[in-house]
Amino acid sequence: MFRRVNFYSICFAFGLSVLLILAGSRYTDNTNYRPISESRRNIKNFFKVDDGEDTESQPVPTNSYDGTPNIEKILEKTRAKIQFELWNYNFTYSGVKKLDDLIIETGGRPLRSIIISSWRSGSTFLGEVINAIPGTYYHYEPFLNYGIIQIRGSPLAETVLNSIKDMLKCNFEEMDDFLDYGRGHNHQFSHNTRLWDHCKYKKELCFDSDFMSKFCKLFPFQSMKVVRLRLRLVQELLEDKELNAKVVFLIRDPRGVLQSRLHRDFCHPSPDCSNPELLCADMISDYVAASRLLKLYPDKLMVLRYEDLALNLNSTTHKLLKFLRLSHMQAVDEYLNSHTNTEVSGVSSTFRVSREVPFRWKNILDFEYADQIQMACKEAMNLWGYRMAHNATHMTSKEFDPLETYTITQ
Ligand SMILES: *[C@@H]1O[C@H](CO)[C@@H](O)[C@H](O)[C@H]1NC(C)=O
Ligand SMILES: *[C@@H]1O[C@H](CO)[C@@H](O)[C@H](O)[C@H]1NC(C)=O
Ligand SMILES: *[C@@H]1O[C@H](CO)[C@@H](O)[C@H](O)[C@H]1NC(C)=O
């Protein structure tokens, strides 16, 4: 009897201390915890089609870190936080039994996803939607240091594909170029909010391959976005059974893309970014690749048009998460709400904003330039289901719907 009472009191004390540790990791240390709902942004950022070349909207540290970070303590708190945030996650939905099965540190295999896109096509927004899911480690644009180029084949393709595999497996040991680039470019790390929560107070953490590898290995969901790699080359990643990555390919109307790129200083000097012929040759090559890869790996590739995502934000996001086998929807709903429910000058609802943003080019783009794009992009637009505008009046009219249905013939 006495023994039993003792046993229960030990259990009680143990339970209480676990609760206290969790609560402590959650609330007492604001360097380590930031609720998702707090990261509301200004409406200007909604549906931004950023690509990582902008540094204006980067989070700025609000208070400085006044001590040497204890790496073991950071790792310990991060483990506890991930467990806490995913305590009621349905792991069956993700094809495993328990959290540890998805964590590299404990011998598991994470769910990995890669967004493949191009500059100004909505990939920053999509990346943030996925990053809203607790337990996500977001490998944001790992090839910023390559400059404004497209990678279409050898010799860069091999290097880049190996780096992607290393990063998705959290091996940062041989990633010196990547880590060094981050020294002068915070935005390489700051989109990875869970990592930046620590690096913003102590930048050196993010240049430390040992810390980076250990920290990354705690996360059950590994996501990445890349705007510099064409889809054809992704086959090698889909083939990799050990990696077991899923790919989301995101494409956008070349008129919207180029209109948006017009105002970006980084873009103009680079033909890969500013030349309609090159953009649309890539779009054709991506279409052919999508068609082949969908046949080979129907459950590993999802193809999305930015415009369809914007017009059907909720249902497309649900479809996307289902494809990625991610079941935690609440955080994503919160993210979408905080980015779509803001009133704009009290007149237009965000519903309108989100639906109109992808088509803003219709009223801004000079028809002569639009037509020049259309001439260069006839085939690409036809394949991806983008309609031609006949003249300036037609282009700006309400009747002109740039979208038609498209199919990827397999
Ligand atoms: C978890 O997901 C599986 C597979 O989708 C489903 O069959 C099961 O009902 C879910 N369990 C709960 C508690 O929601
Ligand atoms: C979003 O889509 C899901 C699934 O398609 C649906 O269950 C849910 O009710 C939708 N939410 C809103 C706010 O429309
Ligand atoms: C512009 O195109 C529309 C649709 O094809 C056509 O009906 C209209 O006559 C054209 N306007 C001019 C000025 O060419």
Side-chain angles (χ1 to χ4, degrees), residues 89-97 102 109 111 221 244 321 324-328:
Y89 184 87
N90 185 346
F91 288 99
T92 319
Y93 194 89
S94 294
V96 297
K97 291 200 181 73
L102 294 176
R109 185 172 68 178
L111 290 188
F221 310 127
N244 196 29
L321 294 180
L324 297 175
R325 302 177 80 179
L326 293 165
S327 96
H328 210 291

mmCIF file with all atom_site columns, all heavy atoms in Angstrom, residues 89-97 102 109 111 221 244 321 324-328:
data_model
loop_
_atom_site.group_PDB
_atom_site.id
_atom_site.type_symbol
_atom_site.label_atom_id
_atom_site.label_alt_id
_atom_site.label_comp_id
_atom_site.label_asym_id
_atom_site.label_entity_id
_atom_site.label_seq_id
_atom_site.pdbx_PDB_ins_code
_atom_site.Cartn_x
_atom_site.Cartn_y
_atom_site.Cartn_z
_atom_site.occupancy
_atom_site.B_iso_or_equiv
_atom_site.pdbx_formal_charge
_atom_site.auth_seq_id
_atom_site.auth_comp_id
_atom_site.auth_asym_id
_atom_site.auth_atom_id
_atom_site.pdbx_PDB_model_num
ATOM 1   N N   . TYR A 1 89  ? -0.706 15.673 -33.042 1.00 0.00 ? 89  TYR A N   1
ATOM 2   C CA  . TYR A 1 89  ? -0.577 15.465 -34.492 1.00 0.00 ? 89  TYR A CA  1
ATOM 3   C C   . TYR A 1 89  ? -0.880 14.002 -34.822 1.00 0.00 ? 89  TYR A C   1
ATOM 4   O O   . TYR A 1 89  ? -0.453 13.097 -34.103 1.00 0.00 ? 89  TYR A O   1
ATOM 5   C CB  . TYR A 1 89  ? 0.847  15.832 -34.923 1.00 0.00 ? 89  TYR A CB  1
ATOM 6   C CG  . TYR A 1 89  ? 1.074  15.743 -36.413 1.00 0.00 ? 89  TYR A CG  1
ATOM 7   C CD1 . TYR A 1 89  ? 0.798  16.822 -37.244 1.00 0.00 ? 89  TYR A CD1 1
ATOM 8   C CD2 . TYR A 1 89  ? 1.567  14.574 -36.984 1.00 0.00 ? 89  TYR A CD2 1
ATOM 9   C CE1 . TYR A 1 89  ? 0.996  16.737 -38.603 1.00 0.00 ? 89  TYR A CE1 1
ATOM 10  C CE2 . TYR A 1 89  ? 1.772  14.488 -38.359 1.00 0.00 ? 89  TYR A CE2 1
ATOM 11  C CZ  . TYR A 1 89  ? 1.490  15.571 -39.153 1.00 0.00 ? 89  TYR A CZ  1
ATOM 12  O OH  . TYR A 1 89  ? 1.688  15.479 -40.509 1.00 0.00 ? 89  TYR A OH  1
ATOM 13  N N   . ASN A 1 90  ? -1.604 13.783 -35.914 1.00 0.00 ? 90  ASN A N   1
ATOM 14  C CA  . ASN A 1 90  ? -1.945 12.417 -36.316 1.00 0.00 ? 90  ASN A CA  1
ATOM 15  C C   . ASN A 1 90  ? -0.823 11.835 -37.194 1.00 0.00 ? 90  ASN A C   1
ATOM 16  O O   . ASN A 1 90  ? -0.789 12.047 -38.400 1.00 0.00 ? 90  ASN A O   1
ATOM 17  C CB  . ASN A 1 90  ? -3.279 12.441 -37.077 1.00 0.00 ? 90  ASN A CB  1
ATOM 18  C CG  . ASN A 1 90  ? -3.756 11.041 -37.421 1.00 0.00 ? 90  ASN A CG  1
ATOM 19  O OD1 . ASN A 1 90  ? -2.991 10.064 -37.325 1.00 0.00 ? 90  ASN A OD1 1
ATOM 20  N ND2 . ASN A 1 90  ? -5.016 10.937 -37.826 1.00 0.00 ? 90  ASN A ND2 1
ATOM 21  N N   . PHE A 1 91  ? 0.076  11.092 -36.578 1.00 0.00 ? 91  PHE A N   1
ATOM 22  C CA  . PHE A 1 91  ? 1.238  10.587 -37.319 1.00 0.00 ? 91  PHE A CA  1
ATOM 23  C C   . PHE A 1 91  ? 0.884  9.490  -38.311 1.00 0.00 ? 91  PHE A C   1
ATOM 24  O O   . PHE A 1 91  ? 1.592  9.271  -39.284 1.00 0.00 ? 91  PHE A O   1
ATOM 25  C CB  . PHE A 1 91  ? 2.331  10.129 -36.339 1.00 0.00 ? 91  PHE A CB  1
ATOM 26  C CG  . PHE A 1 91  ? 2.995  11.292 -35.660 1.00 0.00 ? 91  PHE A CG  1
ATOM 27  C CD1 . PHE A 1 91  ? 2.623  11.673 -34.384 1.00 0.00 ? 91  PHE A CD1 1
ATOM 28  C CD2 . PHE A 1 91  ? 3.947  12.037 -36.327 1.00 0.00 ? 91  PHE A CD2 1
ATOM 29  C CE1 . PHE A 1 91  ? 3.205  12.781 -33.777 1.00 0.00 ? 91  PHE A CE1 1
ATOM 30  C CE2 . PHE A 1 91  ? 4.529  13.141 -35.723 1.00 0.00 ? 91  PHE A CE2 1
ATOM 31  C CZ  . PHE A 1 91  ? 4.158  13.514 -34.453 1.00 0.00 ? 91  PHE A CZ  1
ATOM 32  N N   . THR A 1 92  ? -0.224 8.795  -38.072 1.00 0.00 ? 92  THR A N   1
ATOM 33  C CA  . THR A 1 92  ? -0.692 7.796  -39.027 1.00 0.00 ? 92  THR A CA  1
ATOM 34  C C   . THR A 1 92  ? -0.895 8.450  -40.395 1.00 0.00 ? 92  THR A C   1
ATOM 35  O O   . THR A 1 92  ? -0.588 7.880  -41.432 1.00 0.00 ? 92  THR A O   1
ATOM 36  C CB  . THR A 1 92  ? -2.049 7.206  -38.565 1.00 0.00 ? 92  THR A CB  1
ATOM 37  O OG1 . THR A 1 92  ? -1.994 6.997  -37.175 1.00 0.00 ? 92  THR A OG1 1
ATOM 38  C CG2 . THR A 1 92  ? -2.364 5.930  -39.303 1.00 0.00 ? 92  THR A CG2 1
ATOM 39  N N   . TYR A 1 93  ? -1.405 9.666  -40.348 1.00 0.00 ? 93  TYR A N   1
ATOM 40  C CA  . TYR A 1 93  ? -1.659 10.408 -41.570 1.00 0.00 ? 93  TYR A CA  1
ATOM 41  C C   . TYR A 1 93  ? -0.373 10.605 -42.369 1.00 0.00 ? 93  TYR A C   1
ATOM 42  O O   . TYR A 1 93  ? -0.367 10.619 -43.591 1.00 0.00 ? 93  TYR A O   1
ATOM 43  C CB  . TYR A 1 93  ? -2.279 11.770 -41.207 1.00 0.00 ? 93  TYR A CB  1
ATOM 44  C CG  . TYR A 1 93  ? -2.897 12.488 -42.376 1.00 0.00 ? 93  TYR A CG  1
ATOM 45  C CD1 . TYR A 1 93  ? -4.223 12.269 -42.717 1.00 0.00 ? 93  TYR A CD1 1
ATOM 46  C CD2 . TYR A 1 93  ? -2.151 13.385 -43.129 1.00 0.00 ? 93  TYR A CD2 1
ATOM 47  C CE1 . TYR A 1 93  ? -4.795 12.924 -43.786 1.00 0.00 ? 93  TYR A CE1 1
ATOM 48  C CE2 . TYR A 1 93  ? -2.710 14.040 -44.209 1.00 0.00 ? 93  TYR A CE2 1
ATOM 49  C CZ  . TYR A 1 93  ? -4.034 13.809 -44.529 1.00 0.00 ? 93  TYR A CZ  1
ATOM 50  O OH  . TYR A 1 93  ? -4.580 14.462 -45.593 1.00 0.00 ? 93  TYR A OH  1
ATOM 51  N N   . SER A 1 94  ? 0.736  10.766 -41.668 1.00 0.00 ? 94  SER A N   1
ATOM 52  C CA  . SER A 1 94  ? 2.026  10.969 -42.330 1.00 0.00 ? 94  SER A CA  1
ATOM 53  C C   . SER A 1 94  ? 2.761  9.655  -42.572 1.00 0.00 ? 94  SER A C   1
ATOM 54  O O   . SER A 1 94  ? 3.933  9.650  -42.942 1.00 0.00 ? 94  SER A O   1
ATOM 55  C CB  . SER A 1 94  ? 2.905  11.898 -41.489 1.00 0.00 ? 94  SER A CB  1
ATOM 56  O OG  . SER A 1 94  ? 2.336  13.190 -41.445 1.00 0.00 ? 94  SER A OG  1
ATOM 57  N N   . GLY A 1 95  ? 2.076  8.548  -42.350 1.00 0.00 ? 95  GLY A N   1
ATOM 58  C CA  . GLY A 1 95  ? 2.649  7.245  -42.697 1.00 0.00 ? 95  GLY A CA  1
ATOM 59  C C   . GLY A 1 95  ? 3.596  6.672  -41.653 1.00 0.00 ? 95  GLY A C   1
ATOM 60  O O   . GLY A 1 95  ? 4.346  5.745  -41.951 1.00 0.00 ? 95  GLY A O   1
ATOM 61  N N   . VAL A 1 96  ? 3.586  7.209  -40.431 1.00 0.00 ? 96  VAL A N   1
ATOM 62  C CA  . VAL A 1 96  ? 4.447  6.662  -39.385 1.00 0.00 ? 96  VAL A CA  1
ATOM 63  C C   . VAL A 1 96  ? 3.649  6.492  -38.096 1.00 0.00 ? 96  VAL A C   1
ATOM 64  O O   . VAL A 1 96  ? 2.485  6.886  -38.023 1.00 0.00 ? 96  VAL A O   1
ATOM 65  C CB  . VAL A 1 96  ? 5.675  7.568  -39.106 1.00 0.00 ? 96  VAL A CB  1
ATOM 66  C CG1 . VAL A 1 96  ? 6.570  7.668  -40.325 1.00 0.00 ? 96  VAL A CG1 1
ATOM 67  C CG2 . VAL A 1 96  ? 5.233  8.951  -38.638 1.00 0.00 ? 96  VAL A CG2 1
ATOM 68  N N   . LYS A 1 97  ? 4.296  5.902  -37.100 1.00 0.00 ? 97  LYS A N   1
ATOM 69  C CA  . LYS A 1 97  ? 3.584  5.634  -35.845 1.00 0.00 ? 97  LYS A CA  1
ATOM 70  C C   . LYS A 1 97  ? 3.752  6.762  -34.838 1.00 0.00 ? 97  LYS A C   1
ATOM 71  O O   . LYS A 1 97  ? 2.860  7.067  -34.076 1.00 0.00 ? 97  LYS A O   1
ATOM 72  C CB  . LYS A 1 97  ? 4.096  4.340  -35.227 1.00 0.00 ? 97  LYS A CB  1
ATOM 73  C CG  . LYS A 1 97  ? 3.719  3.092  -36.022 1.00 0.00 ? 97  LYS A CG  1
ATOM 74  C CD  . LYS A 1 97  ? 3.819  1.850  -35.110 1.00 0.00 ? 97  LYS A CD  1
ATOM 75  C CE  . LYS A 1 97  ? 3.485  0.577  -35.851 1.00 0.00 ? 97  LYS A CE  1
ATOM 76  N NZ  . LYS A 1 97  ? 4.545  0.159  -36.805 1.00 0.00 ? 97  LYS A NZ  1
ATOM 77  N N   . LEU A 1 102 ? 10.016 10.364 -37.516 1.00 0.00 ? 102 LEU A N   1
ATOM 78  C CA  . LEU A 1 102 ? 10.223 11.431 -38.498 1.00 0.00 ? 102 LEU A CA  1
ATOM 79  C C   . LEU A 1 102 ? 11.439 12.296 -38.167 1.00 0.00 ? 102 LEU A C   1
ATOM 80  O O   . LEU A 1 102 ? 11.718 13.278 -38.847 1.00 0.00 ? 102 LEU A O   1
ATOM 81  C CB  . LEU A 1 102 ? 8.985  12.341 -38.566 1.00 0.00 ? 102 LEU A CB  1
ATOM 82  C CG  . LEU A 1 102 ? 7.675  11.742 -39.086 1.00 0.00 ? 102 LEU A CG  1
ATOM 83  C CD1 . LEU A 1 102 ? 6.550  12.769 -38.985 1.00 0.00 ? 102 LEU A CD1 1
ATOM 84  C CD2 . LEU A 1 102 ? 7.825  11.284 -40.527 1.00 0.00 ? 102 LEU A CD2 1
ATOM 85  N N   . ARG A 1 109 ? 13.025 9.213  -40.415 1.00 0.00 ? 109 ARG A N   1
ATOM 86  C CA  . ARG A 1 109 ? 13.137 9.880  -41.711 1.00 0.00 ? 109 ARG A CA  1
ATOM 87  C C   . ARG A 1 109 ? 12.064 10.951 -41.826 1.00 0.00 ? 109 ARG A C   1
ATOM 88  O O   . ARG A 1 109 ? 10.871 10.642 -41.744 1.00 0.00 ? 109 ARG A O   1
ATOM 89  C CB  . ARG A 1 109 ? 12.972 8.864  -42.850 1.00 0.00 ? 109 ARG A CB  1
ATOM 90  C CG  . ARG A 1 109 ? 13.196 9.499  -44.206 1.00 0.00 ? 109 ARG A CG  1
ATOM 91  C CD  . ARG A 1 109 ? 13.232 8.465  -45.295 1.00 0.00 ? 109 ARG A CD  1
ATOM 92  N NE  . ARG A 1 109 ? 11.936 7.838  -45.501 1.00 0.00 ? 109 ARG A NE  1
ATOM 93  C CZ  . ARG A 1 109 ? 11.694 6.922  -46.432 1.00 0.00 ? 109 ARG A CZ  1
ATOM 94  N NH1 . ARG A 1 109 ? 12.669 6.513  -47.219 1.00 0.00 ? 109 ARG A NH1 1
ATOM 95  N NH2 . ARG A 1 109 ? 10.488 6.418  -46.574 1.00 0.00 ? 109 ARG A NH2 1
ATOM 96  N N   . LEU A 1 111 ? 9.536  13.987 -43.313 1.00 0.00 ? 111 LEU A N   1
ATOM 97  C CA  . LEU A 1 111 ? 8.787  14.224 -44.545 1.00 0.00 ? 111 LEU A CA  1
ATOM 98  C C   . LEU A 1 111 ? 9.465  15.403 -45.236 1.00 0.00 ? 111 LEU A C   1
ATOM 99  O O   . LEU A 1 111 ? 9.603  16.467 -44.650 1.00 0.00 ? 111 LEU A O   1
ATOM 100 C CB  . LEU A 1 111 ? 7.337  14.595 -44.236 1.00 0.00 ? 111 LEU A CB  1
ATOM 101 C CG  . LEU A 1 111 ? 6.416  13.525 -43.686 1.00 0.00 ? 111 LEU A CG  1
ATOM 102 C CD1 . LEU A 1 111 ? 4.985  14.061 -43.635 1.00 0.00 ? 111 LEU A CD1 1
ATOM 103 C CD2 . LEU A 1 111 ? 6.449  12.263 -44.528 1.00 0.00 ? 111 LEU A CD2 1
ATOM 104 N N   . PHE A 1 221 ? 9.640  17.826 -40.243 1.00 0.00 ? 221 PHE A N   1
ATOM 105 C CA  . PHE A 1 221 ? 9.250  18.245 -41.591 1.00 0.00 ? 221 PHE A CA  1
ATOM 106 C C   . PHE A 1 221 ? 10.348 19.127 -42.168 1.00 0.00 ? 221 PHE A C   1
ATOM 107 O O   . PHE A 1 221 ? 10.711 20.143 -41.578 1.00 0.00 ? 221 PHE A O   1
ATOM 108 C CB  . PHE A 1 221 ? 7.917  19.006 -41.565 1.00 0.00 ? 221 PHE A CB  1
ATOM 109 C CG  . PHE A 1 221 ? 6.846  18.284 -40.795 1.00 0.00 ? 221 PHE A CG  1
ATOM 110 C CD1 . PHE A 1 221 ? 6.151  18.911 -39.774 1.00 0.00 ? 221 PHE A CD1 1
ATOM 111 C CD2 . PHE A 1 221 ? 6.535  16.965 -41.094 1.00 0.00 ? 221 PHE A CD2 1
ATOM 112 C CE1 . PHE A 1 221 ? 5.169  18.238 -39.045 1.00 0.00 ? 221 PHE A CE1 1
ATOM 113 C CE2 . PHE A 1 221 ? 5.565  16.271 -40.383 1.00 0.00 ? 221 PHE A CE2 1
ATOM 114 C CZ  . PHE A 1 221 ? 4.878  16.923 -39.354 1.00 0.00 ? 221 PHE A CZ  1
ATOM 115 N N   . ASN A 1 244 ? 13.228 10.275 -50.295 1.00 0.00 ? 244 ASN A N   1
ATOM 116 C CA  . ASN A 1 244 ? 11.764 10.222 -50.244 1.00 0.00 ? 244 ASN A CA  1
ATOM 117 C C   . ASN A 1 244 ? 11.128 11.615 -50.235 1.00 0.00 ? 244 ASN A C   1
ATOM 118 O O   . ASN A 1 244 ? 10.261 11.912 -49.417 1.00 0.00 ? 244 ASN A O   1
ATOM 119 C CB  . ASN A 1 244 ? 11.328 9.433  -48.999 1.00 0.00 ? 244 ASN A CB  1
ATOM 120 C CG  . ASN A 1 244 ? 9.875  9.016  -49.085 1.00 0.00 ? 244 ASN A CG  1
ATOM 121 O OD1 . ASN A 1 244 ? 9.361  8.822  -50.185 1.00 0.00 ? 244 ASN A OD1 1
ATOM 122 N ND2 . ASN A 1 244 ? 9.211  8.907  -47.958 1.00 0.00 ? 244 ASN A ND2 1
ATOM 123 N N   . LEU A 1 321 ? -1.521 20.018 -48.845 1.00 0.00 ? 321 LEU A N   1
ATOM 124 C CA  . LEU A 1 321 ? -1.107 19.383 -47.600 1.00 0.00 ? 321 LEU A CA  1
ATOM 125 C C   . LEU A 1 321 ? -1.432 17.898 -47.611 1.00 0.00 ? 321 LEU A C   1
ATOM 126 O O   . LEU A 1 321 ? -0.690 17.078 -47.070 1.00 0.00 ? 321 LEU A O   1
ATOM 127 C CB  . LEU A 1 321 ? -1.752 20.086 -46.408 1.00 0.00 ? 321 LEU A CB  1
ATOM 128 C CG  . LEU A 1 321 ? -1.265 21.526 -46.225 1.00 0.00 ? 321 LEU A CG  1
ATOM 129 C CD1 . LEU A 1 321 ? -1.937 22.171 -45.038 1.00 0.00 ? 321 LEU A CD1 1
ATOM 130 C CD2 . LEU A 1 321 ? 0.246  21.601 -46.062 1.00 0.00 ? 321 LEU A CD2 1
ATOM 131 N N   . LEU A 1 324 ? 1.273  16.289 -49.493 1.00 0.00 ? 324 LEU A N   1
ATOM 132 C CA  . LEU A 1 324 ? 2.507  16.226 -48.704 1.00 0.00 ? 324 LEU A CA  1
ATOM 133 C C   . LEU A 1 324 ? 2.364  15.335 -47.458 1.00 0.00 ? 324 LEU A C   1
ATOM 134 O O   . LEU A 1 324 ? 3.309  15.163 -46.718 1.00 0.00 ? 324 LEU A O   1
ATOM 135 C CB  . LEU A 1 324 ? 2.940  17.637 -48.276 1.00 0.00 ? 324 LEU A CB  1
ATOM 136 C CG  . LEU A 1 324 ? 3.302  18.605 -49.405 1.00 0.00 ? 324 LEU A CG  1
ATOM 137 C CD1 . LEU A 1 324 ? 3.594  19.991 -48.848 1.00 0.00 ? 324 LEU A CD1 1
ATOM 138 C CD2 . LEU A 1 324 ? 4.501  18.104 -50.203 1.00 0.00 ? 324 LEU A CD2 1
ATOM 139 N N   . ARG A 1 325 ? 1.174  14.816 -47.230 1.00 0.00 ? 325 ARG A N   1
ATOM 140 C CA  . ARG A 1 325 ? 0.853  13.976 -46.079 1.00 0.00 ? 325 ARG A CA  1
ATOM 141 C C   . ARG A 1 325 ? 1.062  14.724 -44.757 1.00 0.00 ? 325 ARG A C   1
ATOM 142 O O   . ARG A 1 325 ? 1.556  14.168 -43.779 1.00 0.00 ? 325 ARG A O   1
ATOM 143 C CB  . ARG A 1 325 ? 1.689  12.689 -46.095 1.00 0.00 ? 325 ARG A CB  1
ATOM 144 C CG  . ARG A 1 325 ? 1.475  11.891 -47.367 1.00 0.00 ? 325 ARG A CG  1
ATOM 145 C CD  . ARG A 1 325 ? 2.339  10.676 -47.425 1.00 0.00 ? 325 ARG A CD  1
ATOM 146 N NE  . ARG A 1 325 ? 1.752  9.600  -46.623 1.00 0.00 ? 325 ARG A NE  1
ATOM 147 C CZ  . ARG A 1 325 ? 2.308  8.394  -46.521 1.00 0.00 ? 325 ARG A CZ  1
ATOM 148 N NH1 . ARG A 1 325 ? 3.444  8.130  -47.118 1.00 0.00 ? 325 ARG A NH1 1
ATOM 149 N NH2 . ARG A 1 325 ? 1.739  7.454  -45.819 1.00 0.00 ? 325 ARG A NH2 1
ATOM 150 N N   . LEU A 1 326 ? 0.675  15.979 -44.767 1.00 0.00 ? 326 LEU A N   1
ATOM 151 C CA  . LEU A 1 326 ? 0.760  16.790 -43.551 1.00 0.00 ? 326 LEU A CA  1
ATOM 152 C C   . LEU A 1 326 ? -0.648 16.986 -43.036 1.00 0.00 ? 326 LEU A C   1
ATOM 153 O O   . LEU A 1 326 ? -1.514 17.447 -43.758 1.00 0.00 ? 326 LEU A O   1
ATOM 154 C CB  . LEU A 1 326 ? 1.393  18.141 -43.867 1.00 0.00 ? 326 LEU A CB  1
ATOM 155 C CG  . LEU A 1 326 ? 2.872  18.076 -44.273 1.00 0.00 ? 326 LEU A CG  1
ATOM 156 C CD1 . LEU A 1 326 ? 3.315  19.377 -44.899 1.00 0.00 ? 326 LEU A CD1 1
ATOM 157 C CD2 . LEU A 1 326 ? 3.726  17.727 -43.072 1.00 0.00 ? 326 LEU A CD2 1
ATOM 158 N N   . SER A 1 327 ? -0.867 16.618 -41.789 1.00 0.00 ? 327 SER A N   1
ATOM 159 C CA  . SER A 1 327 ? -2.249 16.650 -41.313 1.00 0.00 ? 327 SER A CA  1
ATOM 160 C C   . SER A 1 327 ? -2.561 17.874 -40.451 1.00 0.00 ? 327 SER A C   1
ATOM 161 O O   . SER A 1 327 ? -3.704 18.194 -40.233 1.00 0.00 ? 327 SER A O   1
ATOM 162 C CB  . SER A 1 327 ? -2.578 15.371 -40.542 1.00 0.00 ? 327 SER A CB  1
ATOM 163 O OG  . SER A 1 327 ? -2.426 15.573 -39.157 1.00 0.00 ? 327 SER A OG  1
ATOM 164 N N   . HIS A 1 328 ? -1.545 18.563 -39.970 1.00 0.00 ? 328 HIS A N   1
ATOM 165 C CA  . HIS A 1 328 ? -1.808 19.663 -39.037 1.00 0.00 ? 328 HIS A CA  1
ATOM 166 C C   . HIS A 1 328 ? -2.318 20.892 -39.790 1.00 0.00 ? 328 HIS A C   1
ATOM 167 O O   . HIS A 1 328 ? -1.559 21.636 -40.363 1.00 0.00 ? 328 HIS A O   1
ATOM 168 C CB  . HIS A 1 328 ? -0.529 20.013 -38.282 1.00 0.00 ? 328 HIS A CB  1
ATOM 169 C CG  . HIS A 1 328 ? -0.799 20.535 -36.927 1.00 0.00 ? 328 HIS A CG  1
ATOM 170 N ND1 . HIS A 1 328 ? -1.383 21.751 -36.713 1.00 0.00 ? 328 HIS A ND1 1
ATOM 171 C CD2 . HIS A 1 328 ? -0.572 20.007 -35.702 1.00 0.00 ? 328 HIS A CD2 1
ATOM 172 C CE1 . HIS A 1 328 ? -1.495 21.922 -35.410 1.00 0.00 ? 328 HIS A CE1 1
ATOM 173 N NE2 . HIS A 1 328 ? -1.015 20.889 -34.783 1.00 0.00 ? 328 HIS A NE2 1
#
